Amino acid sequence: MIADEIHELLDRHRPWLLRVIQSRTTLASAVEDVYSEVLLAIAKSDHRPRDDSSLAPWLCKIAIRQSALANRTAMRRDRLNKDYAHQSPDSPAANDPIFWLMDQERRDLVRQVLHEMEPEVRGVLLAKFVEKLTYPQLAQRLGVAEHVVQYRVAQAKKRLRQMLTQRGIDQEDLS
């Protein structure tokens, strides 16, 4: 019975719901996907209006919400793709496999150099830049003053740069 009500409801309202979705969705190809999400939201809803006068606003609200969710998902995906490329979309390096390969080799070299460093120096760098600890957090962990941690991090970065420079990585590549 409920499935028949939903089908009848959607047959009546499909044209304008598609227009609402289309006007609020950034990708034209996503309209049908968003419409499917609207159908799912309607089917899952326990708070369906009882009278016909409040039905259209309710459907519109669901369509707008699902369109916004689709837009946010698309923006997150785009942002992740841009972050993954580590380049601006206009840069020739963004889609060039040689730059990707060079970046991989640079990362492997950094890992190798880190592995060769003294454990205390490596630990400070990893805590600061991998675990993303702040100077006060790092000072508390090490049981020393904050200015001592700042000095140790600066010295560790300097040592890392020296070791990478000895292996052939230019100073500009390290920035």
Side-chain angles (χ1 to χ4, degrees), residues 14 22 38-39 83:
R14 180 182 168 91
Q22 191 171 24
V38 169
L39 298 181
D83 289 347

Side-chain angles (χ1 to χ4, degrees), residues 34 37 63-76:
V34 174
E37 293 297 323
I64 291 170
R65 184 180 309 125
Q66 293 304 323
S67 298
L69 288 172
N71 288 337
R72 275 190 232 124
T73 302
M75 287 189 309
R76 263 189 242 113

Side-chain angles (χ1 to χ4, degrees), residues 31-132:
V31 173
E32 284 298 323
D33 292 337
V34 174
Y35 185 72
S36 297
E37 293 297 323
V38 169
L39 298 181
L40 284 172
I42 291 169
K44 290 179 183 178
S45 177
D46 295 332
H47 305 291
R48 223 172 279 136
R50 301 285 180 226
D51 58 3
D52 285 342
S53 65
S54 57
L55 186 62
W58 178 74
L59 289 173
C60 187
K61 187 168 135 182
I62 291 175
I64 291 170
R65 184 180 309 125
Q66 293 304 323
S67 298
L69 288 172
N71 288 337
R72 275 190 232 124
T73 302
M75 287 189 309
R76 263 189 242 113
R77 187 176 44 249
D78 290 347
R79 194 174 326 120
L80 283 173
N81 288 338
K82 286 178 186 173
D83 289 347
Y84 180 75
H86 297 291
Q87 301 289 335
S88 68
D90 302 339
S91 170
N95 297 317
D96 194 342
I98 193 70
F99 286 99
W100 177 83
L101 182 61
M102 289 168 48
D103 205 31
Q104 283 296 116
E105 288 174 349
R106 195 175 302 116
R107 266 186 254 164
D108 290 342
L109 187 57
V110 169
R111 281 190 196 100
Q112 182 182 357
V113 168
L114 279 171
H115 183 71
E116 294 171 6
M117 292 179 101
E118 300 80 17
E120 302 82 31
V121 176
R122 179 179 52 243
V124 167
L125 287 172
L126 293 177
K128 178 67 179 148
F129 298 105
V130 175
E131 294 179 46
K132 303 215 184 286

Side-chain angles (χ1 to χ4, degrees), residues 125 129 135 152-162:
L125 287 172
F129 298 105
Y135 286 116
R152 286 183 186 176
V153 169
Q155 290 301 308
K157 285 169 57 177
K158 182 179 177 182
R159 178 75 179 125
L160 179 63
R161 280 192 191 99
Q162 287 172 347

